[in-house]
């Protein structure tokens, strides 16, 4: 338990997003208090200790903030950790390939920006990575154009697109990641492995640079 039944904060408590929490924080352009709080945690160079200042990011009312925090724990979006996560200042281009290779089943992945240019890739030929990045920008435009149908009429809130085999397994997937004003797309060959800690690290590195 992160907190007692009386909703009191443990001394020195360190909270860190789970892969599910990291995905929740960046899956949509709409940011609620929970997603903003998770992004704030991820944007720190070192995991902060939970205190009253941290709680105000969820709600100015401490009791309501603790209830929201407890809800995030029950949803599986937050976990208690024993030691702080500390990130160095290595350039993104140097560290992304190794992390990208761990979040897809066959080690082939691209991270593209909203303009259709790739920041990093692993496993693909350079030309293929360029074309896939351009395709991701086109898919984003399609998503925007048909948003009323997909979200309002059909109730489909996901912005991800995929090429699937006859039994529904992903062969190539496009997953947008939304930050403050920036958007990126993870392009993964094979089945995604978003439950891997490297996914949290990727979101954290992007949050450190692109979250306001």
């Amino acid at each position: 338990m992160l907190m007692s039944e009386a909703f009191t904060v443990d001394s020195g408590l360190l909270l860190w997003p789970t892969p599910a929490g990291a995905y929740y924080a960046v899956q949509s352009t709409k940011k609620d208090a929970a997603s903003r709080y998770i992004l704030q945690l991820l944007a720190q160079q070192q995991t902060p200790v939970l205190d009253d200042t941290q709680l105000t990011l969820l709600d100015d009312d401490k009791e309501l903030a603790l209830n929201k925090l407890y809800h995030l724990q029950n949803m599986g979006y937050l976990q208690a950790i024993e030691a702080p996560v500390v990130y160095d200042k290595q350039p993104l281009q140097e560290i992304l390939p190794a992390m990208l290779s761990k979040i897809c089943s066959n080690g082939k992945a691209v991270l593209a920006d909203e303009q259709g240019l790739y920041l990093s890739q692993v496993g693909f030929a350079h030309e293929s990575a360029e074309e896939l990045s351009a395709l991701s920008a086109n898919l984003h435009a399609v998503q925007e154009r048909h948003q009323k149908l997909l979200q309002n009429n059909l109730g489909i809130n996901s912005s991800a697109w995929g090429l699937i085999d006859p039994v529904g397994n992903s062969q190539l997937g496009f997953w947008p990641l939304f930050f403050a004003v920036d958007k990126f797309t993870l392009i993964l060959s094979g089945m995604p492995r978003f439950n891997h800690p490297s996914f949290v690290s990727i979101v954290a590195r992007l949050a450190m640079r692109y979250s306001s």
Side-chain angles (χ1 to χ4, degrees):
M1 295 289 290
L2 302 182
M3 292 160 282
S4 71
E5 292 183 0
F7 297 102
T8 58
V9 178
D10 294 337
S11 177
L13 183 64
L14 296 169
L15 297 180
W16 187 241
T18 63
Y23 186 80
Y24 176 78
V26 296
Q27 68 178 337
S28 172
T29 56
K30 298 178 181 179
K31 305 299 184 189
D32 57 12
S35 59
R36 290 194 298 269
Y37 175 73
I38 292 171
L39 280 174
Q40 191 274 342
L41 285 180
L42 291 168
Q44 304 300 311
Q45 192 167 340
Q46 178 172 321
T47 311
V49 174
L50 181 64
D51 56 18
D52 289 343
T53 302
Q54 290 287 313
L55 286 175
T56 59
L57 296 172
L58 283 168
D59 201 288
D60 290 332
D61 184 290
K62 185 175 181 179
E63 183 176 355
L64 289 177
L66 287 169
N67 278 317
K68 291 178 180 180
L69 198 65
Y70 187 67
H71 176 70
L72 290 177
Q73 179 205 10
N74 285 339
M75 293 291 291
Y77 292 162
L78 291 176
Q79 58 186 321
I81 56 177
E82 295 182 358
V85 176
V86 181
Y87 286 112
D88 55 35
K89 295 183 179 180
Q90 284 181 278
L92 274 174
Q93 290 76 7
E94 294 182 6
I95 60 176
L96 279 173
M99 293 189 290
L100 287 172
S101 67
K102 295 175 182 177
I103 63 170
C104 50
S105 61
N106 59 14
K108 299 171 69 175
V110 180
L111 179 66
D113 65 16
E114 190 170 0
Q115 287 70 45
L117 302 174
Y118 74 82
L119 278 69
S120 183
Q121 71 96 7
V122 60
F124 288 104
H126 170 71
E127 294 77 9
S128 296
E130 284 189 326
E131 292 186 28
L132 287 171
S133 298
L135 175 57
S136 72
N138 291 337
L139 288 175
H140 176 62
V142 170
Q143 176 77 23
E144 289 291 306
R145 189 159 60 248
H146 297 284
Q147 186 172 14
K148 182 178 179 181
L149 166 67
L150 296 173
Q151 294 189 0
N152 298 347
N153 295 0
L154 301 179
I156 300 174
N157 294 317
S158 174
S159 298
W161 291 78
L163 300 175
I164 59 176
D165 64 19
V167 295
N169 294 321
S170 176
Q171 294 182 297
L172 187 68
F174 298 77
W175 284 268
L177 309 177
F178 299 96
F179 291 86
V181 295
D182 297 278
K183 171 188 166 292
F184 303 90
T185 301
L186 277 173
I187 307 165
L188 306 179
S189 177
M191 295 296 290
R193 292 176 175 170
F194 289 145
N195 60 339
H196 195 282
S198 287
F199 175 69
V200 182
S201 297
I202 291 171
V203 176
R205 288 291 188 163
L206 293 173
M208 288 173 65
R209 178 175 292 188
Y210 298 103
S211 288
S212 59

